[in-house]
Amino acid sequence: MSETGASSAFEDAFHKAAERHERAWVFLAVTMLTLLLAGTMFLVVYAYGIVVRTDGFRRDPAALDAPEGSVVKTGPNAYTVTVVAHLWRWSPSPLRIPKGATVTFRVTSADVLHGFAIQGTTVNVTAVPGITGSVTYTFNRPGTFNIVCNEYCGLEHQGMLGRIVVTGDPA
Ligand code: CUA
């Protein structure tokens, strides 16, 4: 009887000690994760300046330095085109340019995220409201190129098509 009593007293003490250790280690792990998360957030915001620019996303795309859909000739056969994505169309479309034209597309969105991709080319830029992306491409062969939206943007996403017509004659 005395032997069983001693063993049970030892077991009780053992379990209590084990529980204390478990609590301590769980506390330590949670504290480390919390500090890591908070530290990372402070680092990202204050050291790298990465923040969600809510102002930028609210900025009126009409305030861009070039008017929507504008085509500006910048060289003998070079153009800068300001492309604005809307639910659910591209502006300008259709865009007519001569063969061999080098076009810099400045791409933004008037509403939500869209994806500006020209089929059969390497052009692929995300259209972000309040932010202007830029890509340059030279159209060396005549033909009709489709602009597709490759970022899901709602009900008519799949029908959001535009057109670039490259005419046969160089400028
Ligand atoms: Cu615009 Cu999908």
Side-chain angles (χ1 to χ4, degrees):
M1 191 74 178
S2 66
E3 206 183 326
T4 324
S7 158
S8 128
F10 170 77
E11 273 172 22
D12 278 355
F14 180 83
H15 284 299
K16 272 190 186 129
E19 207 166 288
R20 258 201 327 273
H21 280 263
E22 261 179 46
R23 277 182 213 280
W25 282 107
V26 167
F27 177 77
L28 193 68
V30 169
T31 305
M32 279 167 68
L33 283 174
T34 307
L35 287 177
L36 187 73
L37 182 68
T40 306
M41 278 182 355
F42 274 98
L43 190 75
V44 160
V45 172
Y46 292 105
Y48 293 100
I50 298 171
V51 290
V52 177
R53 295 183 190 281
T54 48
D55 292 356
F57 281 90
R58 277 197 215 106
R59 199 174 72 192
D60 182 4
L64 286 168
D65 51 0
E68 167 177 345
S70 74
V71 181
V72 178
K73 196 163 197 247
T74 54
N77 197 7
Y79 305 85
T80 294
V81 179
T82 304
V83 177
V84 181
H86 295 266
L87 294 166
W88 288 275
R89 63 188 171 84
W90 295 101
S91 171
S93 176
L95 168 67
R96 292 180 71 84
I97 45 165
K99 183 182 145 189
T102 298
V103 181
T104 298
F105 295 97
R106 301 180 75 249
V107 182
T108 190
S109 168
D111 33 58
V112 299
L113 279 184
H114 298 274
F116 177 76
I118 305 173
Q119 281 184 332
T121 73
T122 52
V123 175
N124 186 357
V125 179
T126 302
V128 185
I131 292 172
T132 306
S134 183
V135 64
T136 300
Y137 187 81
T138 302
F139 293 87
N140 283 320
R141 61 183 170 87
T144 299
F145 295 81
N146 291 320
I147 304 170
V148 296
C149 180
N150 63 7
E151 185 88 44
Y152 183 70
C153 57
L155 280 182
E156 297 295 322
H157 157 74
Q158 74 284 350
M160 187 168 164
L161 302 170
R163 192 163 287 169
I164 296 170
V165 180
V166 181
T167 58
D169 3 275

